[in-house]
């Protein structure tokens, strides 16, 4: 009996020790993040100029598939905790010039589609319909802007569960619907930003899993139009540009038409491990989001461009307000810096 009790006590001590270390890490991480926020309190994000198409006259005649956008990874998860990937809210992101938002979705405890980080127990940023309402309201106020949203269907739900939030938000009239089947779609099939604006189809929406465009024609299958590089990267040098998803393309060479005729998303957010858990690396965000230098957006994009003959269509980043993301976006689109 004493031996059993001793074993139980040892387990309790170990468990409490792990929880204590985890609590200390979260506390220190949060304090450092708060200090980081306070040191930047006097630095305001500039509001993008209301000119041209998405802020550039040149974009009006460029095809959607020939533009590189900085994209906010886990855009709705805002704050200083380890499961939060951005510092400012959706409206501020859009005002600053972000035109591509990515978000995870899960069904919450009440059966509603919600913006949850891995699990709704870990982080619930609110209902998907309310997220759409924020974007819809912003589009109402900015008639020369085109927004892309990428949804992660974390629970692999039937795609019809997404229809209600879209309809309830009132955003559907803005949604772009391709004129041809994805199997016949090429990079040249995309309209220009000017055409999207003229037709007032200024929302391009994608989902990663279980898309069915015969049921929801405006919610596009991400992997019919994009492929992605690896995510959860722990290497600060980002010394790779492999095709990671979809699995159906992984074995194909870079020259294969199925690879060449899709846009691609360059996952450029750095993670780190703490007690075996992968969390965003806030500390190094400034260099990760730099235009030039080791592990920068520009360095990885050059590597990818050399392999695939084109720039990424989207560069997914954490803490977009750290570093030089818009300088990188201008550079990748061929504009003078």
């Amino acid at each position: 009996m004493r031996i059993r009790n001793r074993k139980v006590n040892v387990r309790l001590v170990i468990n409490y020790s792990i929880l204590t270390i985890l609590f200390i890490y979260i506390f220190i991480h949060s304090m450092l993040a708060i200090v980081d926020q306070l040191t930047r309190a006097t630095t305001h994000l500039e509001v993008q100029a209301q000119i041209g198409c998405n802020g550039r006259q040149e974009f009006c005649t460029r095809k959607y598939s020939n533009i590189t956008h900085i994209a906010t990874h886990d855009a709705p998860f805002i704050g200083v905790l380890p499961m939060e990937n951005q510092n400012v809210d959706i409206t501020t992101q859009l005002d600053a010039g972000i035109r591509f938002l990515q978000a995870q979705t899960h069904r919450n405890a009440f059966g509603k589609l919600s913006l949850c980080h891995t699990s709704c127990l870990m982080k619930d940023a609110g209902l998907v319909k309310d997220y759409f309402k924020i974007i819809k309201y912003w589009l109402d106020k900015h008639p020369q802007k085109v927004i892309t949203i990428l949804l992660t269907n974390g629970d692999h739900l039937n795609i019809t569960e997404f229809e209600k939030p879209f309809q309830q938000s009132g955003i559907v009239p803005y949604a772009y619907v391709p004129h041809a089947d994805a199997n016949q779609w090429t990079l040249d099939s995309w309209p220009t930003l000017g055409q999207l604006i003229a037709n007032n189809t200024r929302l391009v929406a994608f989902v990663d899993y279980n898309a069915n465009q015969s049921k929801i024609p405006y919610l596009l299958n991400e992997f019919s139009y994009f492929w992605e590089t690896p995510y959860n990267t722990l290497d600060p040098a980002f010394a790779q540009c492999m095709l990671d998803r979809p699995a159906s393309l992984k074995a194909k060479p870079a020259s294969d038409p199925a690879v060449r005729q899709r846009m691609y998303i360059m996952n450029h957010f750095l993670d780190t491990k703490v007690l075996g858990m992968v969390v965003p690396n806030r500390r190094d965000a400034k260099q990760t989001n730099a235009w030039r230098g080791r592990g920068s957006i520009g360095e990885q994009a050059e590597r990818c461009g050399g392999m695939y003959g084109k720039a990424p269509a989207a560069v997914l980043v954490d803490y977009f307000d750290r570093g030089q993301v818009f300088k990188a976006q201008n550079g990748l689109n061929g504009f003078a810096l």
Side-chain angles (χ1 to χ4, degrees):
M1 182 64 70
R2 288 182 179 176
I3 292 174
R4 183 181 296 176
N5 288 340
R6 188 174 300 162
K7 287 181 178 178
V8 171
N9 289 336
V10 168
R11 289 196 195 100
L12 286 172
V13 169
I14 292 172
N15 289 339
Y16 280 125
S17 298
I18 291 172
L19 287 172
T20 300
I21 293 170
L22 182 60
F23 174 80
I24 291 171
Y25 168 76
I26 292 174
F27 177 78
I28 293 173
H29 182 280
S30 299
M31 290 302 101
L32 289 173
I34 290 169
V35 170
D36 179 63
Q37 294 279 55
L38 290 174
T39 58
R40 295 185 298 109
T42 57
T43 304
H44 300 286
L45 290 168
E46 293 184 8
V47 175
Q48 189 186 65
Q50 301 295 314
I51 58 171
C53 302
N54 278 6
R56 301 288 310 208
Q57 198 64 45
E58 299 93 331
F59 284 159
C60 294
T61 53
R62 274 203 202 182
K63 290 187 178 293
Y64 176 88
S65 54
N66 189 32
I67 296 171
T68 298
H69 289 102
I70 292 295
T72 42
H73 170 239
D74 284 338
F77 305 137
I78 300 146
V80 298
L81 295 177
M83 73 287 291
E84 294 163 334
N85 303 76
Q86 302 299 333
N87 291 319
V88 297
D89 63 29
I90 296 299
T91 299
T92 305
Q93 291 177 37
L94 294 172
D95 285 345
I98 293 297
R99 299 291 173 262
F100 194 123
L101 305 165
Q102 182 267 346
Q104 296 184 44
T105 68
H106 293 266
R107 188 190 284 143
N108 66 19
F110 304 99
K112 303 289 187 181
L113 200 58
S114 202
L115 301 164
C116 297
H117 196 301
T118 309
S119 161
C120 291
L121 295 175
M122 179 181 291
K123 173 73 178 182
D124 188 337
L127 297 176
V128 170
K129 71 171 182 178
D130 295 331
Y131 174 62
F132 291 162
K133 284 180 181 178
I134 292 169
I135 298 168
K136 191 261 182 189
Y137 180 79
W138 197 90
L139 285 168
D140 290 343
K141 302 294 183 182
H142 299 83
Q144 294 297 110
K145 309 300 184 186
V146 176
I147 302 299
T148 300
I149 59 173
L150 171 59
L151 302 173
T152 297
N153 184 2
D155 295 330
H156 291 240
L157 301 175
N158 189 300
I159 202 62
T160 56
E161 294 201 31
F162 287 82
E163 186 171 17
K164 189 174 181 180
F166 270 103
Q167 296 290 346
Q168 289 176 328
S169 70
I171 203 171
V172 173
Y174 282 130
Y176 171 70
V177 178
H179 61 76
D181 184 86
N183 293 325
Q184 283 78 50
W185 204 255
T186 68
L187 293 176
D188 285 338
S189 300
W190 285 96
T192 65
L193 247 58
Q195 289 169 327
L196 289 171
I197 291 167
N199 293 326
N200 209 25
T201 51
R202 298 183 290 113
L203 177 77
V204 187
F206 298 93
V207 65
D208 61 351
Y209 295 117
N210 291 355
N212 187 332
Q213 289 174 232
S214 66
K215 293 183 177 179
I216 307 182
Y218 51 81
L219 187 51
L220 313 185
N221 182 349
E222 176 194 357
F223 296 120
S224 293
Y225 304 94
F226 288 99
W227 52 263
E228 291 191 21
T229 65
Y231 60 97
N232 285 353
T233 299
L234 300 173
D235 174 17
F238 289 90
Q240 50 72 29
C241 195
M242 298 177 293
L243 193 163
D244 184 57
R245 294 190 299 163
S248 61
L249 295 183
K250 287 187 76 168
K252 294 185 182 295
S255 59
D256 190 283
V259 176
R260 289 282 178 164
Q261 288 302 320
R262 282 172 169 84
M263 300 175 285
Y264 70 95
I265 295 171
M266 189 177 85
N267 286 308
H268 194 79
F269 49 93
L270 183 63
D271 291 328
T272 188
K273 272 193 174 182
V274 177
L275 298 177
M277 296 185 302
V278 176
V279 299
N281 187 329
R282 179 185 291 269
R283 183 193 65 186
D284 297 323
K286 188 173 182 180
Q287 179 53 38
T288 300
N289 293 343
W291 166 226
R292 292 298 186 193
R294 182 178 182 270
S296 65
I297 293 171
E299 185 180 64
Q300 189 185 13
E302 282 186 358
R303 183 176 294 112
C304 294
M307 293 175 65
Y308 301 103
K310 60 189 176 194
V315 179
L316 217 54
V317 301
D318 285 337
Y319 314 119
F320 85 95
D321 53 334
R322 302 286 286 155
Q324 303 167 307
V325 299
F326 294 119
K327 185 173 184 179
Q329 180 172 274
N330 285 336
L332 294 175
N333 281 303
F335 300 133
L337 301 177

